[in-house]
Amino acid sequence: MTSNGAAYYQGQPGYAQPIQYHLYAPMGPHRENLLPYQRTVHDLFMPDALREELQRKAEATLQVLPNSSLPAQVEHYHTLVPLDYNGRKNTTVFGYSSWVYKAMSSKDGRHYALRRLEGFRLTNERAILALQAWKQIDNANVVAVHEAFTTGAFGDRSLVFVMDYFPLARTVSDYHWGSSARFSGRSVGGHVPEATMWEYVVQMALALQAIHAAGLAARLLEASKILVTSKNKIRLSGCAVLDVIQRPAGVLPPAEQERLVEQQQQEDLVQLGRLMLALAANHPNVSAGAPPPSQAVGHLGRAYSAELAQVIGWLLAAGSSSPEPGTVSRKTIAQLLAQLTPRLAHALNGAQHATDSLTSELMRELENGRLVRLLTKLNFINERPEFEHDPRWAETGDRYFLKLFRDYVFHQVDARPASGAAAAGAGAGAGAGAGAGPMMTGAGAGAGGGGGGGGGASPVIDLGHVLTCLNKLDAGIDERILLVSRDEQNVLLVTYREVKRALEAAFADLARAAANGAHGW
């Protein structure tokens, strides 16, 4: 990984079998004439875009690099995968070539990002202690750092920082300017929307507030070190690195140390202003003098509001000389947050809406989990070979209808010709969730939920019927259903309440037997 973080935390190349997303995404045409109580199959699960995003992140997290030349293990981290592909070494930021890897910890089984500084020789053992203060930072916009150590596993003396890993994340520079523009220094693409600019400055202000409150300074507000982990969600990364590699050899007096931190905090505000100016001007090197920052700020009014231009100008003026000779105008992050108060309220409102949306999607999966537990209990109970001669499980026992209920739910058949059944099965998903259709009820009553497949009978696949039956079973309602044995010699008229009572009793017996046999649920 080069120190400019070109593709920081990106997904790895496709060495694994790709996920077949078409198996999850709905295919058109879509029905628009559904009644209020009707649902499609995909209405019962999380949105396809969110599901695919999570699946891609999981795939990136689990990908490995076969036949890798990287060390098999670095301390207790293994399965290293490089997260940079441009192969360009750049020592601008840290002064050392920097590389980033994804790795798994053998201690907790979690994935982390390892930032390696190539060729670094630690001469001050107290420098590592600077990491302790950074480990206390807990902020949603700061990438947490866990530990740092030196190693010779790469064939040289390297310093490695262990940080949180965010799959498929990209740096701000790569996200807005691309890899080629960062090295060519030319203006690219269109302007960043003002709403995005405000979200960025608010999030960075909150990150700096947490860092400054801990008596630290970020010192690294570079576009190549800020990660975009989701839509307009950014995190400041790599802050602790400079505190370790540039730590003074001796111990500074408290007054001098405090003055040094204040200067670095002032520089944080200036760096934030340069970053926002570069994004607003859509020019990676605008802060380097091409065009001059003052001229660039004057041109912001063409694309952005005067309020945003004023905030950027205020940041760039932090630490500049005050009108009084020999003094410096000191600005604080608290003053910046005071200016951003209206935007903070807007950001909080947006975060709460996002939380409500995710909570709503989680509720869907909560219901799915409830039905999975119910299915698991049914499968634990049905057709256990050790109970074949147990009278409680015989065809005269009160648990026998659990087997018949399983057939009623999953083994429905349709006595109509196969072409008609196929059409019925294909259209079942469109009405899923509202309840079984008339054909399903008739099939369950007349065929006992799957009695035989001969005589032209065809299997019926209807997710709506399955979900309706399982939900009624979980609720234990008094609705009656007719269960018919596979040989059509036994007919039982039971309610969902009775089926649920039998299910809970049977599973309780199994749980007690498992506990006595030291095999838990």
PDB file of all heavy atoms in Angstrom, residues 39-50:
ATOM      1  N   ARG A  39     -48.601  -9.227  -0.922  1.00  0.00           N
ATOM      2  CA  ARG A  39     -47.184  -8.913  -0.933  1.00  0.00           C
ATOM      3  C   ARG A  39     -46.478  -9.780  -1.970  1.00  0.00           C
ATOM      4  O   ARG A  39     -46.934 -10.894  -2.269  1.00  0.00           O
ATOM      5  CB  ARG A  39     -46.548  -9.182   0.440  1.00  0.00           C
ATOM      6  CG  ARG A  39     -47.100  -8.334   1.563  1.00  0.00           C
ATOM      7  CD  ARG A  39     -46.686  -6.877   1.418  1.00  0.00           C
ATOM      8  NE  ARG A  39     -47.131  -6.095   2.551  1.00  0.00           N
ATOM      9  CZ  ARG A  39     -48.314  -5.499   2.621  1.00  0.00           C
ATOM     10  NH1 ARG A  39     -49.185  -5.610   1.619  1.00  0.00           N
ATOM     11  NH2 ARG A  39     -48.644  -4.801   3.686  1.00  0.00           N
ATOM     12  N   THR A  40     -45.395  -9.253  -2.502  1.00  0.00           N
ATOM     13  CA  THR A  40     -44.531 -10.082  -3.338  1.00  0.00           C
ATOM     14  C   THR A  40     -43.499 -10.760  -2.440  1.00  0.00           C
ATOM     15  O   THR A  40     -43.310 -10.380  -1.283  1.00  0.00           O
ATOM     16  CB  THR A  40     -43.810  -9.235  -4.399  1.00  0.00           C
ATOM     17  OG1 THR A  40     -42.948  -8.305  -3.732  1.00  0.00           O
ATOM     18  CG2 THR A  40     -44.805  -8.480  -5.257  1.00  0.00           C
ATOM     19  N   VAL A  41     -42.831 -11.750  -2.987  1.00  0.00           N
ATOM     20  CA  VAL A  41     -41.848 -12.477  -2.189  1.00  0.00           C
ATOM     21  C   VAL A  41     -40.758 -11.542  -1.679  1.00  0.00           C
ATOM     22  O   VAL A  41     -40.338 -11.610  -0.525  1.00  0.00           O
ATOM     23  CB  VAL A  41     -41.234 -13.614  -3.032  1.00  0.00           C
ATOM     24  CG1 VAL A  41     -40.063 -14.250  -2.297  1.00  0.00           C
ATOM     25  CG2 VAL A  41     -42.288 -14.660  -3.354  1.00  0.00           C
ATOM     26  N   HIS A  42     -40.295 -10.629  -2.521  1.00  0.00           N
ATOM     27  CA  HIS A  42     -39.179  -9.764  -2.139  1.00  0.00           C
ATOM     28  C   HIS A  42     -39.594  -8.670  -1.158  1.00  0.00           C
ATOM     29  O   HIS A  42     -38.735  -8.025  -0.572  1.00  0.00           O
ATOM     30  CB  HIS A  42     -38.551  -9.147  -3.392  1.00  0.00           C
ATOM     31  CG  HIS A  42     -37.887 -10.162  -4.260  1.00  0.00           C
ATOM     32  ND1 HIS A  42     -36.620 -10.638  -4.001  1.00  0.00           N
ATOM     33  CD2 HIS A  42     -38.319 -10.816  -5.363  1.00  0.00           C
ATOM     34  CE1 HIS A  42     -36.284 -11.531  -4.918  1.00  0.00           C
ATOM     35  NE2 HIS A  42     -37.296 -11.652  -5.749  1.00  0.00           N
ATOM     36  N   ASP A  43     -40.901  -8.488  -0.962  1.00  0.00           N
ATOM     37  CA  ASP A  43     -41.344  -7.550   0.068  1.00  0.00           C
ATOM     38  C   ASP A  43     -41.077  -8.087   1.469  1.00  0.00           C
ATOM     39  O   ASP A  43     -41.093  -7.338   2.441  1.00  0.00           O
ATOM     40  CB  ASP A  43     -42.847  -7.264  -0.075  1.00  0.00           C
ATOM     41  CG  ASP A  43     -43.151  -6.425  -1.301  1.00  0.00           C
ATOM     42  OD1 ASP A  43     -42.233  -5.713  -1.751  1.00  0.00           O
ATOM     43  OD2 ASP A  43     -44.277  -6.487  -1.807  1.00  0.00           O
ATOM     44  N   LEU A  44     -40.851  -9.390   1.586  1.00  0.00           N
ATOM     45  CA  LEU A  44     -40.692 -10.010   2.885  1.00  0.00           C
ATOM     46  C   LEU A  44     -39.253  -9.998   3.373  1.00  0.00           C
ATOM     47  O   LEU A  44     -38.976 -10.445   4.483  1.00  0.00           O
ATOM     48  CB  LEU A  44     -41.187 -11.457   2.825  1.00  0.00           C
ATOM     49  CG  LEU A  44     -42.614 -11.638   2.287  1.00  0.00           C
ATOM     50  CD1 LEU A  44     -42.967 -13.100   2.187  1.00  0.00           C
ATOM     51  CD2 LEU A  44     -43.621 -10.897   3.154  1.00  0.00           C
ATOM     52  N   PHE A  45     -38.331  -9.509   2.557  1.00  0.00           N
ATOM     53  CA  PHE A  45     -36.922  -9.535   2.918  1.00  0.00           C
ATOM     54  C   PHE A  45     -36.323  -8.147   2.732  1.00  0.00           C
ATOM     55  O   PHE A  45     -36.986  -7.230   2.253  1.00  0.00           O
ATOM     56  CB  PHE A  45     -36.180 -10.568   2.075  1.00  0.00           C
ATOM     57  CG  PHE A  45     -36.785 -11.945   2.150  1.00  0.00           C
ATOM     58  CD1 PHE A  45     -37.655 -12.394   1.167  1.00  0.00           C
ATOM     59  CD2 PHE A  45     -36.498 -12.775   3.219  1.00  0.00           C
ATOM     60  CE1 PHE A  45     -38.218 -13.653   1.232  1.00  0.00           C
ATOM     61  CE2 PHE A  45     -37.065 -14.032   3.298  1.00  0.00           C
ATOM     62  CZ  PHE A  45     -37.930 -14.475   2.307  1.00  0.00           C
ATOM     63  N   MET A  46     -35.069  -7.981   3.111  1.00  0.00           N
ATOM     64  CA  MET A  46     -34.424  -6.685   3.013  1.00  0.00           C
ATOM     65  C   MET A  46     -34.278  -6.278   1.547  1.00  0.00           C
ATOM     66  O   MET A  46     -34.271  -7.128   0.658  1.00  0.00           O
ATOM     67  CB  MET A  46     -33.050  -6.722   3.681  1.00  0.00           C
ATOM     68  CG  MET A  46     -32.000  -7.521   2.951  1.00  0.00           C
ATOM     69  SD  MET A  46     -30.345  -7.337   3.668  1.00  0.00           S
ATOM     70  CE  MET A  46     -30.609  -7.980   5.305  1.00  0.00           C
ATOM     71  N   PRO A  47     -34.163  -4.974   1.259  1.00  0.00           N
ATOM     72  CA  PRO A  47     -34.039  -4.520  -0.132  1.00  0.00           C
ATOM     73  C   PRO A  47     -32.822  -5.156  -0.812  1.00  0.00           C
ATOM     74  O   PRO A  47     -31.801  -5.442  -0.180  1.00  0.00           O
ATOM     75  CB  PRO A  47     -33.868  -3.004   0.005  1.00  0.00           C
ATOM     76  CG  PRO A  47     -34.472  -2.666   1.323  1.00  0.00           C
ATOM     77  CD  PRO A  47     -34.233  -3.844   2.204  1.00  0.00           C
ATOM     78  N   ASP A  48     -32.954  -5.365  -2.104  1.00  0.00           N
ATOM     79  CA  ASP A  48     -31.904  -6.056  -2.848  1.00  0.00           C
ATOM     80  C   ASP A  48     -30.594  -5.276  -2.842  1.00  0.00           C
ATOM     81  O   ASP A  48     -29.518  -5.866  -2.779  1.00  0.00           O
ATOM     82  CB  ASP A  48     -32.364  -6.299  -4.288  1.00  0.00           C
ATOM     83  CG  ASP A  48     -33.649  -7.105  -4.339  1.00  0.00           C
ATOM     84  OD1 ASP A  48     -33.665  -8.213  -3.778  1.00  0.00           O
ATOM     85  OD2 ASP A  48     -34.634  -6.618  -4.909  1.00  0.00           O
ATOM     86  N   ALA A  49     -30.678  -3.938  -2.896  1.00  0.00           N
ATOM     87  CA  ALA A  49     -29.452  -3.145  -2.914  1.00  0.00           C
ATOM     88  C   ALA A  49     -28.683  -3.311  -1.606  1.00  0.00           C
ATOM     89  O   ALA A  49     -27.452  -3.479  -1.608  1.00  0.00           O
ATOM     90  CB  ALA A  49     -29.781  -1.672  -3.153  1.00  0.00           C
ATOM     91  N   LEU A  50     -29.389  -3.290  -0.479  1.00  0.00           N
ATOM     92  CA  LEU A  50     -28.739  -3.463   0.812  1.00  0.00           C
ATOM     93  C   LEU A  50     -28.186  -4.873   0.964  1.00  0.00           C
ATOM     94  O   LEU A  50     -27.066  -5.067   1.450  1.00  0.00           O
ATOM     95  CB  LEU A  50     -29.734  -3.159   1.937  1.00  0.00           C
ATOM     96  CG  LEU A  50     -29.220  -3.341   3.369  1.00  0.00           C
ATOM     97  CD1 LEU A  50     -28.021  -2.452   3.627  1.00  0.00           C
ATOM     98  CD2 LEU A  50     -30.333  -3.061   4.368  1.00  0.00           C
TER      99      LEU A  50
END
